[in-house]
Amino acid sequence: MKTKDKDGYHKVFLNYKLWLSSITGDGAIGDTEYQLLKHISKSQSLKAASDDLGISYRKAWGDLKKAEEFLGYQLLDKTRGGKSGGTSVVTNRAIKLIEAYEALQRTFDEKVEDAFNEFRDKIK
Amino acid sequence: MKTKDKDGYHKVFLNYKLWLSSITGDGAIGDTEYQLLKHISKSQSLKAASDDLGISYRKAWGDLKKAEEFLGYQLLDKTRGGKSGGTSVVTNRAIKLIEAYEALQRTFDEKVEDAFNEFRDKIK
DNA sequence: CAACGATATGAACGAGTATTCATAACGAAC
DNA sequence: GTTCGTTATGAATACTCGTTCATATCGTTG
């Protein structure tokens, strides 16, 4: 066992993961889906978005499809063919969703910050 | 795509995980480690604890070992042999840790409740 | 000192997930 | 009507992580 400092205490970080799903856990809106929608709203391309995020198109497409099935409404309006090959446009409901999700994230960030400060004192 | 109700909106659940780790993510104190320590403090046995939680001894042992390496101090005082075959006793620092972790969770759960209610309204 | 039961740990196996591959459809543009 | 780039999707392959298996150590107790 390697001790990191005389106190035995050093860089500890509090992490969290947040996602929305059905009661059974099927379908989900998590960070991946959020990031995808965010990128797609800029590029109008699912492929570009998946490349940006470094995940396979296959997975990106499948994840968003599952998310739509779970939510019961569309997140993207997609077209094939045309000059650009095709496009994916984020729907209005998806925009509302990502805005609400962002607010949720902000709250989490805050609360994590607070809770962690308390935690540090206790553990000292 | 199966729509769940006329609103296209239905049972969406908020899930989240909280855990402590190094900046690189190595070693971690999360729910598993917390539960293990909690059970061990009652049974003085890592084996009994892992059985209770329905996880393999191999994993329980490895997880706590990694956690100790990450923290830089011991969570368990373990002995082999003897009448009972051996024992695992939770250290004082580990007790402080789980108490702080419990407080962290409590604080967080409260806050999250509110944040999620807000979220539901926005998404409506 | 043989037996028992928990700790200790590497290695093989298996389930779940993501990536890669392969192939097709589509539609504007040249 | 051939080309191009993106969406669409099944199938095979690769990876990650936990379980299972196999073995060893240790110390009290009969």
Side-chain angles (χ1 to χ4, degrees):
Chain A
M1 158 146 12
K2 26 181 184 351
T3 305
K4 313 301 172 53
D5 63 32
K6 61 283 159 205
D7 199 31
Y9 177 70
H10 58 124
K11 296 294 181 187
V12 173
F13 292 85
L14 180 58
N15 312 277
Y16 74 85
K17 187 172 186 313
L18 138 72
W19 74 100
L20 305 163
S21 75
S22 70
I23 186 83
T24 61
D26 292 333
I29 308 288
D31 195 58
T32 302
E33 292 73 18
Y34 165 72
Q35 295 290 344
L36 280 171
L37 292 174
K38 203 77 183 160
H39 275 78
I40 295 171
S41 69
K42 286 180 191 143
S43 62
Q44 271 70 59
S45 165
L46 176 51
K47 178 173 193 314
S50 58
D51 286 348
D52 286 353
L53 297 183
I55 65 179
S56 65
Y57 172 84
R58 187 67 180 76
K59 173 169 157 54
W61 174 81
D63 283 357
L64 288 179
K65 187 179 180 194
K66 268 183 284 182
E68 288 181 330
E69 284 168 5
F70 149 60
L71 289 169
Y73 59 83
Q74 282 186 234
L75 294 170
L76 299 177
D77 282 323
K78 296 182 279 188
T79 61
R80 287 194 288 185
K83 60 206 169 302
S84 64
T87 57
S88 292
V89 178
V90 176
T91 65
N92 286 338
R93 289 197 88 168
I95 291 175
K96 271 177 84 172
L97 181 67
I98 65 181
E99 281 170 356
Y101 187 85
E102 277 172 348
L104 200 52
Q105 279 186 323
R106 276 195 299 275
T107 305
F108 263 70
D109 286 342
E110 265 176 54
K111 302 310 174 191
V112 161
E113 182 81 27
D114 298 345
F116 190 45
N117 288 333
E118 261 182 65
F119 176 82
R120 298 189 98 126
D121 294 340
K122 289 202 186 113
I123 230 180
K124 261 284 169 59
Chain B
M1 161 149 5
K2 25 182 178 16
T3 305
K4 313 300 172 52
D5 63 33
K6 61 282 160 202
D7 198 31
Y9 176 71
H10 58 126
K11 296 292 181 190
V12 173
F13 290 85
L14 175 63
N15 311 277
Y16 66 90
K17 281 185 202 229
L18 274 183
W19 75 99
L20 303 162
S21 75
S22 70
I23 185 84
T24 61
D26 293 331
I29 308 289
D31 194 58
T32 303
E33 292 73 18
Y34 165 71
Q35 294 291 344
L36 280 171
L37 292 174
K38 202 77 183 161
H39 276 78
I40 295 171
S41 70
K42 286 180 193 143
S43 62
Q44 271 71 59
S45 165
L46 176 51
K47 177 170 193 315
S50 57
D51 286 347
D52 287 353
L53 297 183
I55 64 180
S56 65
Y57 172 85
R58 187 67 181 76
K59 173 169 158 53
W61 174 82
D63 283 356
L64 288 180
K65 187 180 179 191
K66 269 183 283 183
E68 288 180 330
E69 284 167 4
F70 147 61
L71 290 169
Y73 59 83
Q74 282 186 234
L75 293 171
L76 299 177
D77 282 323
K78 295 183 279 189
T79 61
R80 288 194 289 185
K83 58 204 169 306
S84 63
T87 57
S88 292
V89 178
V90 176
T91 65
N92 286 338
R93 289 195 87 169
I95 291 173
K96 272 176 82 172
L97 181 69
I98 65 182
E99 281 171 357
Y101 187 84
E102 277 172 351
L104 189 59
Q105 282 185 322
R106 274 197 303 274
T107 307
F108 213 73
D109 286 345
E110 279 172 40
K111 309 297 183 187
V112 161
E113 183 78 27
D114 301 340
F116 188 46
N117 288 332
E118 270 180 57
F119 174 82
R120 301 189 94 128
D121 293 340
K122 287 198 188 119
I123 235 182
K124 262 287 169 59

